[in-house]
Amino acid sequence: MKALVYKSTGSWYIVKDDTGRFRNARIKGIFKIDEITSTNPLSVGDEVDMQIEDEVENSAVITKIYDRRNYINRQSPRVKHQHHIIAANVDQSVLVATLKEPRTSQGFIDRFLVASEMYHVPSAIVFNKIDLHRKKEQQQFEERKQMYEDVGYKVNGVSVKENTGIDGVKELLKDKITLISGHSGVGKSSLLNLILPDLNLKVQEVSGWSGKGLHTTTFAEMFDLPFGGKIIDTPGMREFGLVDLAKQELSHYYPEMRERLTDCQFNNCLHLNEPGCAIKDAVANGNIHENRYISYLNILESI
Ligand SMILES: Nc1nc2c(ncn2[C@@H]2O[C@H](COP(=O)(O)OP(=O)(O)OP(=O)(O)O)[C@@H](O)[C@H]2O)c(=O)[nH]1
Ligand SMILES: [Mg+2]
Ligand SMILES: [Zn+2]
């Protein structure tokens, strides 16, 4: 019987079968998937075949994994060269960011966007905790919103605490399979609890907030949205390591650069100091946001 993986801990899984029933499943034996070296063979969003093992215990054995439409990788936090597949077969990736408690840097946001472009997964940004914005943050929010919308990304400002802007997020999520990412403490689980009132996901105690991020969610998990679609909550992340990215490719993953690349004099232009560079011209003319170019340089240097 076909089933969909809703939760993966790396050693056991929760799957939903074709009849809509949830089961505890495990893998029997070893099967290799694609050519990826991954610390977890199956991830949330994987389509599988399963056999019922025990009706009473509600257990099942996974016997086959179907080819993935796409998958989202993260560098394993423990082993540098190993990848950890966070989710498979997603329609879009949404970053929850905050300008305060904790602060999400532009560099982190741009790394997220680059990673999504690499996977060919459409992405959007939700700025949460706008209730905490004072004049400075509000101005920064408006600047960033404009900057990212100009490039073509959707940006929403919300407060889960005060229930503002949530309709816009629901519209964004409707009928799609969405992966939610962001630093620990930005309110990913809180957002899901608001959208899915019966859910009761564990969130950080307000008193426990130390500014460090305590990682309240430990495994990625998928949920059905009552208005259509699915959403995947993930553990908070500190950094966005970009796996398998060459310097030469980076500008392809900045949409505003990608569309101008053929205008550079050299086709291997890195847009640093080369003559006839269309990207540097566009930055000088204000057609590419200077902050985006700066983040490009920072990422380039880190590769
Ligand atoms: N002021 C304010 N606080 C919020 C808002 N949304 C969430 N919080 C608080 O932020 C804290 C962290 O929320 P979580 O939902 O646990 O964050 P998370 O992103 O799931 O964190 P991890 O699971 O560790 O990745 C909690 O104390 C929430 O009550 C908001 O809109 N405004
Ligand atoms: Mg959480
Ligand atoms: Zn160039």
Side-chain angles (χ1 to χ4, degrees):
M1 193 181 338
K2 253 194 120 175
L4 191 59
V5 178
Y6 272 62
K7 184 170 183 166
S8 154
T9 70
S11 49
W12 56 273
Y13 306 90
I14 294 177
V15 302
K16 188 181 185 181
D17 70 24
D18 264 352
T19 69
R21 181 160 164 185
F22 285 101
R23 295 179 188 274
N24 299 312
R26 59 195 176 81
I27 298 175
K28 209 166 204 168
I30 299 166
F31 48 85
K32 217 179 146 163
I33 293 150
D34 302 339
E35 290 303 307
I36 317 158
T37 344
S38 164
T39 50
N40 57 328
L42 275 183
S43 76
V44 169
D46 264 322
E47 293 164 6
V48 297
D49 275 339
M50 54 148 250
Q51 278 166 8
I52 296 164
E53 193 181 43
D54 187 324
E55 259 316 337
V56 182
E57 300 226 325
N58 213 18
S59 59
V61 173
I62 295 165
T63 54
K64 177 194 163 140
I65 169 178
Y66 286 85
D67 287 344
R68 292 170 172 148
R69 270 188 289 132
N70 60 33
Y71 61 86
I72 306 236
N73 240 338
R74 282 181 197 166
Q75 219 162 54
S76 162
R78 283 174 297 272
V79 194
K80 268 271 154 180
H81 298 290
Q82 262 186 333
H83 304 172
H84 185 81
I85 296 168
I86 287 286
N89 305 321
V90 302
D91 295 319
Q92 62 179 358
S93 185
V94 168
L95 183 74
V96 179
T98 46
L99 295 175
K100 239 181 142 172
E101 297 183 20
R103 199 183 82 85
T104 306
S105 70
Q106 194 206 318
F108 183 82
I109 296 174
D110 286 339
R111 281 173 167 268
F112 160 82
L113 295 173
V114 166
S116 305
E117 296 283 343
M118 285 176 72
Y119 299 124
H120 305 288
V121 174
S123 51
I125 310 162
V126 172
F127 283 95
N128 185 30
K129 307 199 187 186
I130 59 169
D131 58 285
L132 297 177
H133 287 183
R134 302 182 69 171
K135 218 173 162 190
K136 189 184 93 193
E137 288 85 19
Q138 191 52 29
Q139 194 184 343
Q140 195 177 39
F141 166 67
E142 274 154 28
E143 279 169 18
R144 285 203 182 163
K145 183 170 156 68
Q146 190 66 55
M147 178 173 79
Y148 289 118
E149 283 179 346
D150 284 348
V151 185
Y153 297 110
K154 285 187 192 140
V155 179
N156 282 277
V158 308
S159 166
V160 171
K161 190 182 173 189
E162 298 185 340
N163 200 348
T164 46
I166 304 301
D167 284 347
V169 176
K170 286 184 178 170
E171 214 166 286
L172 180 70
L173 301 177
K174 193 173 161 16
D175 297 330
K176 299 211 168 85
I177 301 179
T178 304
L179 178 76
I180 298 281
S181 310
H183 284 314
S184 185
V186 293
K188 300 179 293 297
S189 298
S190 305
L191 175 67
L192 264 68
N193 280 336
L194 183 63
I195 296 174
L196 302 158
D198 298 331
L199 189 60
N200 254 319
L201 281 180
K202 225 165 113 182
V203 301
Q204 248 167 55
E205 298 293 334
V206 178
S207 59
W209 174 248
S210 61
K212 284 192 203 118
L214 291 166
H215 294 281
T216 311
T217 305
T218 44
F219 291 110
E221 186 165 4
M222 184 158 72
F223 305 94
D224 292 324
L225 293 164
F227 45 84
K230 298 181 199 306
I231 190 160
I232 303 167
D233 191 17
T234 64
M237 50 199 304
R238 228 180 277 276
E239 283 172 77
F240 240 107
L242 295 169
V243 191
D244 299 332
L245 175 64
K247 274 184 196 282
Q248 202 52 250
E249 287 169 25
L250 180 60
S251 56
H252 296 251
Y253 302 124
Y254 276 71
E256 71 272 50
M257 296 188 186
R258 184 167 55 217
E259 66 183 25
R260 294 180 163 91
L261 290 177
T262 51
D263 298 332
C264 285
Q265 189 177 327
F266 299 104
N267 62 13
N268 61 351
C269 188
L270 283 176
H271 327 299
L272 294 167
N273 296 304
E274 296 91 335
C277 173
I279 303 304
K280 289 209 78 170
D281 285 349
V283 176
N285 297 333
N287 292 326
I288 288 180
H289 202 294
E290 200 180 2
N291 288 344
R292 287 276 289 172
Y293 180 64
I294 292 170
S295 92
Y296 165 81
L297 295 179
N298 287 335
I299 299 176
L300 196 69
E301 206 181 67
S302 75
I303 296 173

